[in-house]
Amino acid sequence: MCGIVGYVGKAVAPDNKVSPSHRPQEVVLEGLRRLEYRGYDSAGIALAAPGMTELASAKKAGKLTNLKNEILQNPLPEATAAIGHTRWATHGGPTDRNAHPHLADNGRLAVIHNGIIENFAELKAELVEAGVTFLSDTDTEVAAHIIARCYKGTEDLTEAMRLAVGRFRGTFTLLAVAAEDPTTVVGARHDSPLVVGLGDGENFLGSDVAAFVAYTKDAMELEQDQIVTITPTSVNVINFDGTPGKGKTYAVDWDAEAGDKGGFASYMDKEIHEQPQAIADTLRGRVDANGALQLDEVSIDESVFRAIDQIIVIACGTAAYAGQVARYAIEHWCRIPVEIELAHEFRYRDPIVNEKTLVVAISQSGETMDTLMAVRHAREQGAKVLSIVNAQGSTIPRESDAVLYTHAGPEIAVASTKAFTAQITAAYLLGMYLAQVRGNKFPDEIDSLLSALKAIPAKVQTVIERGEYVKATARSMKSADSVLFLGRHVGYPVAMEGALKLKELAYIHAEGFAAGELKHGPIALIDEGLPVFIIVPSPRSRTGLHSKVVSNIQEVRARGARTLVIAEDGDDAVRQFADEIFWIPNCPTLMQPLLAAIPLQIFAMELATTKGLDVDQPRNLAKSVTVE
Ligand code: F6R
């Protein structure tokens, strides 16, 4: 939520003083373009340069393009430092006046913010009492005035930030720039993301590496409760208590082009097409010289894995559906009970968690606040936490005991696609790893599971290549106002994922049900022409569920539903009951979600496109949910 960019650099005049240029503005606007998936209610920028009596700034409600048009009409001056923000509104509506940056001290100090300052009302009352006039409804403007007041007292922006953060409760990343100090940007983080980009004669701050990956791949992770001060030639980290701090440097493992559309109509389309690669990359390099499976960064002893007696998967949204799929595999392979819990519910129900519990946190962004809080709660209760995360350098892996990365590359479209299939893949690897460590499976059994997984990317490619028929069906359903999705076993979470995709992209009422639940109520919804997707298990599946699902198709069809069936190649039994069939290649039962999800993604994308909607940036949403 909210994208944040900070920049200082780069041009140096012959007298060795930093001289203004348009680079700060360009870097920040480019960073905002790449971060826009984090929020698109408004965008804004503030610039500092030597000699300015007040900062230059511009901000506009709506997407970044509105800000760019504003700057075209009213160009901004050259600068030496800049901060920029793309907003997902929390306090105050998505208007020009609530857009960040927020200025204080007569325009001499600017602040941008991600998060929520929970005690903003009491701080605001204090400031109003002291005569401050507010120009917005945001909690951020309160922070700007407090930092400005501390700055007046100290004339040191870093110390001002340090004193100010001591007064804030809640979660925040804050960046500040001041007219008096035009080659410095100061950032602070508390339970909210901030990374540093290390340049040559320039330095960067960003909510994630997308903010600066076009300029540098050298990055630095910060810990919680740290303040970072960047100038063109230095990066200095301190802790909130004023003691020196240290960041961990790393190299970003993806190219700036990975964050571009690469000729596709949307990021979502591109990311759907990247799934064969994302799955293959997640599987790559997992077997050591002795043929044993290995994870990424594990500080959990194998004896702990052997001793665990339950697994709790915590995640939100699509990531939770990936966890729900994985539960079937992990229980089957490892014979350990697996619970799946929405992260935001987890810690409020006093869960029974102890040192024999392995908590698996699944998150694309690695920053989802609900999931992070659940991770902390689990660790406080003595559980070990293993996270499955896509974004390198993010918070959840850093706060976990072990991490298994999904190597899906940057996912920019707000609706998750390749992260979902990569998460299932990674969770399956974890299941196999546990089966190996706990001795539930012989090495040759693990080999054969791994081989079945390795065959999946080519099959996903086949499903994608069959996408045109799915798209044509979606185009014919422009006027649908409700769609149901049914599945059993691993098909059930896929049904819910299909419904989620349709809701968030096409703004259509959609629900996913366990097909067996139909007769217990939902069948009353079936009406003439109601579209119902049904995910059919393989006829070869030993679960015995194929015939049950075929009966469910007949039940809804008999009541007038239009049946849209996802079935395995050659499944002749379903043909006669399907109005439309989307064929997927044969594969083992547990692997089927990796294929069955694809037509549902394509369907939702195409239906939204047909309705003229923005598939990459659906209304009201943001990619990374960093507030609770
Ligand atoms: C839906 C979607 C969300 C995320 C959820 C968790 O398409 O993308 O439901 O899956 O917000 O996000 P992460 O995985 O970043 O923790």
Side-chain angles (χ1 to χ4, degrees):
M1 279 184 177
C2 298
I4 280 185
V5 192
Y7 174 83
V8 280
K10 157 153 205 177
V12 176
D15 61 1
N16 228 13
K17 291 220 171 85
V18 177
S19 63
S21 76
H22 279 301
R23 186 165 168 89
Q25 178 182 316
E26 281 159 22
V27 169
V28 166
L29 289 179
E30 171 62 9
L32 291 182
R33 182 180 76 78
R34 291 177 181 275
L35 290 185
E36 203 180 9
Y37 65 90
R38 299 181 74 95
Y40 30 86
D41 285 334
S42 63
I45 182 170
L47 301 161
M52 273 184 185
T53 49
E54 58 184 81
L55 300 166
S57 68
K59 51 189 195 172
K60 267 317 215 190
K63 297 202 171 165
L64 181 62
T65 176
N66 296 356
L67 174 69
K68 287 185 173 168
N69 287 339
E70 166 72 15
I71 294 173
L72 275 181
Q73 278 162 27
N74 299 299
L76 291 166
E78 294 188 338
T80 46
I83 58 176
H85 187 267
T86 175
R87 178 171 188 241
W88 187 84
T90 54
H91 285 64
T95 57
D96 284 357
R97 67 194 287 274
N98 288 332
H100 301 209
H102 290 283
L103 299 168
D105 188 21
N106 298 315
R108 301 176 66 73
L109 184 129
V111 168
I112 54 177
H113 168 217
N114 175 26
I116 295 176
I117 296 180
E118 287 167 2
N119 59 334
F120 90 102
E122 71 197 55
L123 295 173
K124 187 169 182 173
E126 176 189 314
L127 290 164
V128 169
E129 178 78 27
V132 175
T133 307
F134 279 84
L135 303 175
S136 78
D137 313 313
T138 63
D139 50 344
T140 309
E141 195 182 356
V142 172
H145 287 295
I146 302 263
I147 297 169
R149 288 175 158 239
C150 295
Y151 189 43
K152 276 219 144 77
T154 58
E155 293 184 6
D156 175 336
L157 195 53
T158 307
E159 183 60 6
M161 181 68 92
R162 196 184 77 75
L163 293 174
V165 295
R167 304 217 50 206
F168 304 148
R169 281 202 315 273
T171 59
F172 49 82
T173 300
L174 289 159
L175 296 196
V177 65
E180 273 90 345
D181 193 358
T183 54
T184 298
V185 173
V186 176
R189 73 171 298 203
H190 172 65
D191 288 346
S192 186
L194 181 64
V195 280
V196 186
L198 306 168
D200 179 12
E202 57 184 352
N203 285 305
F204 311 78
L205 296 173
S207 304
D208 65 55
V209 297
F212 49 73
V213 73
Y215 308 100
T216 180
K217 288 193 185 170
D218 295 326
M220 182 194 274
E221 278 178 28
L222 297 172
E223 288 177 13
Q224 297 297 349
D225 297 348
Q226 288 191 323
I227 292 170
V228 60
T229 305
I230 58 167
T231 71
T233 51
S234 68
V235 172
N236 190 41
V237 181
I238 60 167
N239 301 311
F240 278 8
D241 63 7
T243 56
K246 207 163 164 284
K248 183 173 152 210
T249 54
Y250 66 101
V252 179
D253 71 351
W254 52 273
D255 294 323
E257 300 77 61
D260 291 332
K261 283 189 200 161
F264 286 90
S266 63
Y267 284 113
M268 183 176 178
D269 199 7
K270 176 179 175 240
E271 288 159 10
I272 287 173
H273 282 80
E274 284 172 342
Q275 288 180 102
Q277 194 63 47
I279 296 169
D281 287 348
T282 300
L283 289 171
R284 206 181 308 286
R286 298 294 183 185
V287 180
D288 70 13
N290 304 320
L293 266 174
Q294 52 184 3
L295 307 184
D296 287 309
E297 293 166 18
V298 185
S299 57
I300 302 177
D301 197 79
E302 286 194 2
S303 61
V304 176
F305 284 124
R306 278 192 280 275
I308 55 170
D309 60 9
Q310 68 162 339
I311 295 176
I312 303 180
V313 181
I314 48 173
C316 301
T318 291
Y321 295 139
Q324 211 162 325
V325 169
R327 166 205 231 165
Y328 292 87
I330 298 175
E331 285 192 337
H332 181 62
W333 294 335
C334 310
R335 310 310 300 151
I336 312 175
V338 180
E339 263 183 69
I340 164 92
E341 176 102 34
L342 291 169
H344 35 89
E345 290 294 319
F346 175 72
R347 75 191 163 117
Y348 297 107
R349 71 164 169 95
D350 196 11
I352 300 164
V353 174
N354 54 41
E355 57 292 340
K356 287 193 159 185
T357 309
L358 177 67
V359 167
V360 178
I362 306 183
S363 174
Q364 187 287 129
S365 61
E367 298 292 353
T368 298
M369 185 55 72
D370 295 311
T371 310
L372 176 61
M373 290 302 167
V375 164
R376 287 185 184 166
H377 184 74
R379 293 188 81 194
E380 277 160 21
Q381 310 299 307
K384 293 287 184 209
V385 174
L386 183 147
S387 58
I388 294 178
V389 168
N390 194 41
Q392 254 189 319
S394 56
T395 308
I396 290 172
R398 216 179 23 252
E399 298 206 12
S400 303
D401 300 289
V403 57
L404 179 50
Y405 282 107
T406 51
H407 296 290
E411 192 179 64
I412 309 288
V414 165
S416 194
T417 53
K418 63 175 177 173
F420 176 66
T421 44
Q423 283 160 350
I424 295 173
T425 306
Y428 280 13
L429 282 171
L430 172 63
M432 291 176 208
Y433 176 81
L434 290 173
Q436 166 186 288
V437 170
R438 293 165 65 90
N440 299 93
K441 294 250 174 256
F442 292 113
D444 59 328
E445 292 176 298
I446 304 235
D447 275 359
S448 89
L449 288 172
L450 205 49
S451 302
L453 255 186
K454 285 185 177 160
I456 291 294
K459 296 182 183 195
V460 171
Q461 184 60 37
T462 304
V463 184
I464 292 170
E465 283 162 13
R466 295 175 182 175
E468 200 38 58
Y469 179 54
V470 183
K471 287 187 179 174
T473 309
R475 287 193 290 270
S476 74
M477 290 174 58
K478 193 176 168 186
S479 54
D481 53 14
S482 181
V483 181
L484 301 188
F485 294 75
L486 305 180
R488 285 184 185 245
H489 192 255
V490 285
Y492 169 37
V494 175
M496 290 192 285
E497 169 62 4
L500 176 60
K501 289 286 95 85
L502 201 56
K503 281 181 238 192
E504 66 182 329
L505 292 169
Y507 317 152
I508 289 177
H509 167 253
E511 272 190 82
F513 293 110
E517 189 65 8
L518 204 62
K519 291 191 274 293
H520 300 282
I523 200 162
L525 291 170
I526 308 289
D527 203 354
E528 200 57 39
L530 180 82
V532 181
F533 273 90
I534 305 112
I535 299 142
V536 183
S538 166
R540 297 169 296 109
S541 167
R542 277 185 254 147
T543 58
L545 285 173
H546 178 265
S547 58
K548 302 273 186 314
V549 175
V550 174
S551 301
N552 294 139
I553 305 176
Q554 294 175 65
E555 286 156 13
V556 294
R557 203 156 189 248
R559 288 159 178 82
R562 178 177 180 198
T563 54
L564 305 133
V565 174
I566 297 178
E568 261 196 25
D569 286 341
D571 184 355
D572 291 328
V574 292
R575 224 180 262 272
Q576 55 181 315
F577 307 118
D579 291 307
E580 314 290 345
I581 301 194
F582 310 115
W583 296 110
I584 56 175
N586 299 331
C587 71
T589 301
L590 287 169
M591 313 283 168
Q592 202 206 43
L594 294 164
L595 307 184
I598 314 290
L600 301 180
Q601 297 168 347
I602 296 173
F603 179 82
M605 176 181 70
E606 188 66 12
L607 189 51
T609 308
T610 307
K611 291 176 80 173
L613 302 172
D614 184 339
V615 295
D616 286 335
Q617 297 180 342
R619 69 183 179 202
N620 303 337
L621 291 169
K623 182 73 183 157
S624 176
V625 183
T626 54
V627 292
E628 276 187 276

